[in-house]
Amino acid sequence: MTDISTTSRRNFMKLAATAGGGLVLAFSWTNTLASAVMEVLDDTNLASGKIDFNSYLSISPDDVITIFSPNPELGQNIKTSFPMIVAEELDADWTKVKVVQAPLDTNKFERQVTGGSGAVPHSWERLRKAGATARQMLLEAAAKRWKVSADTLTTENGVVVHKASGRKLTYGELATEASKVPVPTDVKLKDTKDFKLIGKAIRNVDNYEMITGKPLYGLDVYRDGMLYAVIQRPKAFGMKLKSVDAAAAKAIPGVVDVVTFKNNVAVVGTSTWQVNKARKALKIDYEAEAPLESSSDHDRIFKELLSSKEATVRRKDGDVEAAFKKAAKVVTAEYQCPFLSHSPMEPMNFFADVRPDGVELIGPIQTPERARADVAKLLNIAPEKVTLELTRLGGGFGRRLYGDYVLEAAELSSIVKKPIKLVWTREDDMTGGTYRPAVRYRFEAALDAKGNMIGYKLRGAGINSGNPTREDNFPSGAVENLLIDSIEHQSPITTGAWRAPITNFLAFAEQAFLDEVAQAAKKDPVQFRLELLDKAKNAPVGAIKYDIDRMKGVINLAAEKAGWGKKEGVSQGFSVYFSHRSYVAQVADVVMKEGKPAVDRIHAAVDCGIVVNLSGAYQQVRGGVIDGLGHAIYSNLTFKDGAAEQSNFNNYRLIRMKEVPEVDVYFVNNGIDPTGLGEPALPPTGGAVANAIYKATGKRLRNQPFINQPELKTV
């Protein structure tokens, strides 16, 4: 196996600057709107390492441009998009751009986090200024050499050009001289119409390494002398360890130790095969310390929560009770979603080496700073004594926001006094993971005699969900009388963020219910939503925390591109949602095949501001749509006596390749700064599909997964 070694900041700088000199710029990531803080690095401050910066742009004499990328990369494409933004303002030759993954460094970086679709929005302006500042310094260096005004010079593809004389110099040829130019405090950024790289389809910078199997992931990490470990955790949520008989496990060749700590039993040895074999030989007794919940219990709990008077009011506008009393018609419906596993392709794993002089951590984590702080607290040491190197993440979807597996690896290493590679199996991941919470929603709408929605009520009842509503999202602000509240059940089952947290299911429920209301009002579903948005714009009620025009824009674009209401033999369903600062509208086309509804095509209109990398953006949207479709139709995690009943992909259903429909993607070109994209395409999918299936079959789907609903089985 290949060793993934920590690349120190100083070693990186030595490589980037090269022996022949060069221009190395440090730029700040510390303020969303702040200008990049630049500092030229010469031999003196390279040697001292005492430079106040957070990340680097370097131009070496051989024309190589290098960027240290701080955020974890789990497939959202920031490792490609970040350097594209810098290279655009720099007018760089993209073929000569290199990207290096940065280790965790809280002194040099801010927000070394992947989550919430926030990486590009957070870094957009500072990255542009980093590239523009370097470009200006190169222009000044060329102007000084040629004894002309910098205003007479232009740049293109890594070259400074003096058109009047025909002279040209590459960035590499100017790099050393540029390093002596005073750093400009104010630089002009490109007009978006002049972008040459941003908006193009650029392949992922890690493609070659991924395709050829180069070591990029946590599971690739290897250190001489390290041991492998697996952990037997309680097999049910609500149980604790009672006794362990490890004699048979310890007798297996290659097993070094069996360690009991907290509520876990770890087997440590010289290979994953041996430790997994030994784990099966353990004899462990557990006892209950909390109620062992089953899915049948959750059905009862939801009924109690929905009728409870103890709910927390999240938003209240107008006189809701009066509106419902005078309503000509009231529409009521309930929707429910199950627990879901994150199921990333790479199960949880981490490397830890706890030594007297410090702790080395390597692996895939979405929140490295929090993981380091938690390890330092666990071991009672200063965070500065802990280093953390990031590998590429083989998926996460929110699961790797939580560093429980990092803590396990560190604690084990501290106990056995050896470097440890902790590996979870797929079964560990699915039965002991942090799940999407189960939620049930009750909606009520009051209509007047003309079909206008005059009252709206939503209650979210969740199991460990926090607040299962988004009280300020549409249609809030468009209804005079509105009440949104929530109520929770605390369970031993661990839950957490799952791609597009809360909105991943709430969007389906809201959008499917709005279709029911539109039908009761005898209005076209698209027109019904547009009328509500017009009402929110012309006569807003309370706070409006979404952009009405952007939402209307994607609605109109999706309807136009999908040929809404104009297709023969096709049943169409509509959905639109705002999440993570972006707007996505979808139309699902459903056709009947052998008497059953089948999703034939999904049209997605997306307003995420400027698209940095068209290739990555298309895949993010298509991936989100397919993820939303597959989980809405097929995925379900159930419990019996506190234990997950699904443990691997043989009984936890995901969408299959042959079931994936065509997905057409259309981006709104409005020129605003980028907003989120990793998550917003998922939430609208379930609603669009459910609404289309209703059109095709006359059957309303209110519970996920759809495949388990009797409404579909009778078609």
Side-chain angles (χ1 to χ4, degrees):
M1 298 180 70
T2 304
D3 182 9
I4 295 183
S5 301
T6 300
T7 302
S8 72
R9 176 171 54 82
R10 183 170 297 178
N11 286 340
F12 166 75
M13 297 309 300
K14 289 177 181 177
L15 289 170
T18 77
L23 171 63
V24 181
L25 299 180
F27 54 95
S28 171
W29 303 73
T30 57
N31 187 321
T32 303
L33 298 178
S35 62
V37 178
M38 302 291 179
E39 185 168 2
V40 176
L41 311 181
D42 57 23
D43 291 340
T44 302
N45 41 30
L46 275 177
S48 68
K50 295 179 181 178
I51 300 168
D52 185 14
F53 53 70
N54 294 55
S55 194
Y56 315 97
L57 159 64
S58 72
I59 304 173
S60 65
D62 62 358
D63 287 324
V64 174
I65 300 165
T66 306
I67 297 173
F68 228 168
S69 183
N71 288 47
E73 171 62 78
L74 55 75
Q76 78 280 32
N77 206 49
I78 56 170
K79 196 174 176 182
T80 304
S81 297
F82 276 13
M84 284 180 64
I85 298 167
V86 177
E88 179 65 72
E89 292 291 348
L90 185 60
D91 266 346
D93 180 350
W94 178 251
T95 64
K96 296 180 180 178
V97 172
K98 291 185 178 180
V99 185
V100 176
Q101 177 68 59
L104 174 68
D105 191 333
T106 53
N107 294 321
K108 311 304 179 190
F109 304 111
E110 183 192 62
R111 200 191 181 278
Q112 278 188 275
V113 173
T114 291
S117 299
V120 172
H122 176 268
S123 301
W124 169 250
E125 187 165 336
R126 69 173 57 85
L127 289 170
R128 294 185 67 189
K129 288 183 176 179
T133 300
R135 176 181 176 272
Q136 185 61 40
M137 295 172 74
L138 290 158
L139 287 169
E140 295 291 346
K144 185 176 181 180
R145 183 189 289 197
W146 290 330
K147 295 181 173 54
V148 299
S149 170
D151 294 338
T152 66
L153 305 178
T154 59
T155 58
E156 57 179 302
N157 208 32
V159 176
V160 177
V161 179
H162 185 235
K163 291 184 178 179
S165 65
R167 286 176 290 185
K168 297 181 179 181
L169 285 169
T170 68
Y171 287 177
E173 291 173 312
L174 288 166
T176 300
E177 293 166 70
S179 69
K180 299 177 175 62
V181 172
V183 179
T185 57
D186 187 29
V187 293
K188 183 179 180 181
L189 301 179
K190 283 185 177 181
D191 190 300
T192 56
K193 67 180 175 55
D194 296 324
F195 285 164
K196 299 174 183 175
L197 189 61
I198 290 175
K200 297 292 190 298
I202 304 297
R203 65 185 181 186
N204 191 298
V205 295
D206 283 338
N207 271 1
Y208 178 80
E209 286 75 12
M210 288 189 287
I211 291 169
T212 57
K214 296 293 190 298
L216 289 172
Y217 299 93
L219 288 174
D220 297 321
V221 173
Y222 178 80
R223 283 284 188 272
D224 288 338
M226 79 177 191
L227 297 174
Y228 295 88
V230 293
I231 294 177
Q232 181 60 58
R233 301 164 189 84
K235 293 188 175 182
F237 293 94
M239 299 195 83
K240 66 178 181 179
L241 189 64
K242 184 178 180 181
S243 64
V244 181
D245 181 351
K250 289 181 177 180
I252 293 175
V255 172
V256 174
D257 202 355
V258 176
V259 178
T260 300
F261 67 106
K262 292 189 171 68
N263 218 20
N264 303 319
V265 182
V267 181
V268 181
T270 55
S271 77
T272 54
W273 173 261
Q274 291 160 323
V275 295
N276 274 302
K277 181 179 179 181
R279 181 168 62 167
K280 294 177 182 178
L282 293 170
K283 297 178 181 179
I284 305 177
D285 286 330
Y286 298 97
E287 58 185 355
E289 63 176 351
L292 303 181
E293 296 179 356
S294 298
S295 292
S296 57
D297 298 318
H298 298 151
D299 291 337
R300 171 184 52 79
I301 289 167
F302 280 137
K303 291 178 182 178
E304 294 172 355
L305 293 177
L306 288 174
S307 61
S308 173
K309 297 181 180 180
E310 304 300 322
T312 300
V313 174
R314 301 294 179 176
R315 176 165 175 159
K316 187 174 183 180
D317 297 327
D319 190 337
V320 179
E321 297 309 317
F324 274 83
K325 284 180 181 178
K326 69 178 183 181
K329 184 181 293 186
V330 173
V331 183
T332 303
E334 293 184 9
Y335 295 79
Q336 186 166 319
C337 72
F339 290 95
L340 291 181
S341 170
H342 292 83
S343 302
M345 287 304 295
E346 179 192 25
M348 302 304 107
N349 66 90
F350 228 79
F351 170 87
D353 187 5
V354 178
R355 307 180 303 271
D357 62 333
V359 178
E360 180 186 18
L361 302 172
I362 310 175
I365 178 75
Q366 292 178 240
T367 51
E369 182 179 352
R370 186 168 70 189
R372 185 180 75 166
D374 288 346
V375 167
K377 182 178 180 180
L378 172 73
L379 301 176
N380 196 27
I381 60 175
E384 294 74 23
K385 295 192 71 176
V386 182
T387 65
L388 193 153
E389 181 182 354
L390 291 164
T391 61
R392 189 179 177 96
L393 287 65
F397 312 109
R399 175 61 182 94
R400 286 187 161 99
L401 291 169
Y402 310 98
D404 50 311
Y405 55 100
V406 184
L407 289 169
E408 290 175 343
E411 187 164 6
L412 261 180
S413 178
S414 71
I415 293 170
V416 301
K417 312 298 183 187
K418 293 282 187 181
I420 292 291
K421 173 76 169 292
L422 174 68
V423 179
W424 289 39
T425 63
R426 174 65 60 204
E427 288 78 10
D428 293 336
D429 217 32
M430 200 168 287
T431 61
T434 299
Y435 308 110
R436 182 188 79 171
V439 180
R440 190 168 182 89
Y441 295 102
R442 175 181 289 164
F443 293 88
E444 297 175 70
L447 298 174
D448 66 14
K450 295 181 180 179
N452 298 310
M453 186 161 64
I454 59 173
Y456 181 88
K457 289 195 280 188
L458 163 62
R459 170 167 291 185
I463 298 177
N464 289 356
S465 66
N467 173 14
T469 73
R470 291 292 182 265
E471 61 271 13
D472 293 323
N473 276 9
F474 178 77
S476 293
V479 186
E480 300 97 317
N481 308 290
L482 175 143
L483 173 64
I484 296 177
D485 60 21
S486 67
I487 189 167
E488 281 289 294
H489 167 71
Q490 298 302 315
S491 168
I493 299 169
T494 54
T495 63
W498 190 96
R499 190 176 187 179
I502 302 300
T503 61
N504 58 63
F505 177 76
L506 176 59
F508 153 69
E510 286 180 342
Q511 291 296 305
F513 180 67
L514 284 179
D515 257 40
E516 294 199 45
V517 179
Q519 182 185 32
K522 298 180 180 179
K523 295 181 179 180
D524 173 81
V526 171
Q527 192 59 38
F528 180 68
R529 290 167 173 82
L530 289 172
E531 288 176 3
L532 284 172
L533 287 167
D534 285 338
K535 192 174 180 180
K537 187 168 186 175
N538 299 324
V541 181
I544 303 288
K545 296 189 178 180
Y546 50 90
D547 189 306
I548 294 168
D549 290 333
R550 290 180 71 188
M551 183 170 279
K552 289 179 67 175
V554 294
I555 289 174
N556 288 322
L557 180 60
E560 174 196 345
K561 294 296 186 181
W564 176 256
K566 299 176 181 177
K567 293 182 177 179
E568 294 291 333
V570 176
S571 299
Q572 293 186 310
F574 185 82
S575 179
V576 62
Y577 215 71
F578 160 63
S579 66
H580 299 87
R581 303 170 295 278
S582 292
Y583 300 79
V584 181
Q586 294 181 20
V587 175
D589 290 351
V590 165
V591 297
M592 298 300 291
K593 293 183 179 179
E594 299 179 355
K596 298 285 185 179
V599 182
D600 181 64
R601 185 177 295 268
I602 294 177
H603 312 263
V606 182
D607 181 351
C608 61
I610 294 170
V611 173
V612 176
N613 183 352
L614 192 60
S615 173
Y618 274 131
Q619 301 318 317
Q620 283 295 296
V621 175
R622 288 180 176 130
V625 169
I626 294 167
D627 206 9
L629 175 65
H631 283 89
I633 295 179
Y634 301 112
S635 300
N636 190 24
L637 194 79
T638 58
F639 290 86
K640 185 174 182 180
D641 297 328
E645 295 185 285
Q646 294 76 30
S647 61
N648 210 318
F649 294 130
N650 64 312
N651 55 10
Y652 183 78
R653 180 79 153 84
L654 295 178
I655 194 168
R656 296 164 182 160
M657 290 183 69
K658 66 180 182 179
E659 295 161 340
V660 174
E662 294 290 333
V663 180
D664 297 329
V665 182
Y666 313 96
F667 290 104
V668 174
N669 183 15
N670 54 17
I672 69 172
D673 288 354
T675 52
L677 189 56
E679 292 162 292
L682 186 150
T685 306
V689 171
N691 292 335
I693 290 176
Y694 172 75
K695 289 275 189 69
T697 66
K699 306 289 185 179
R700 290 284 182 194
L701 298 177
R702 297 191 178 99
N703 297 330
Q704 292 184 5
F706 298 160
I707 199 170
N708 286 355
Q709 301 314 304
E711 291 86 355
L712 269 189
K713 292 178 180 179
T714 59
V715 174

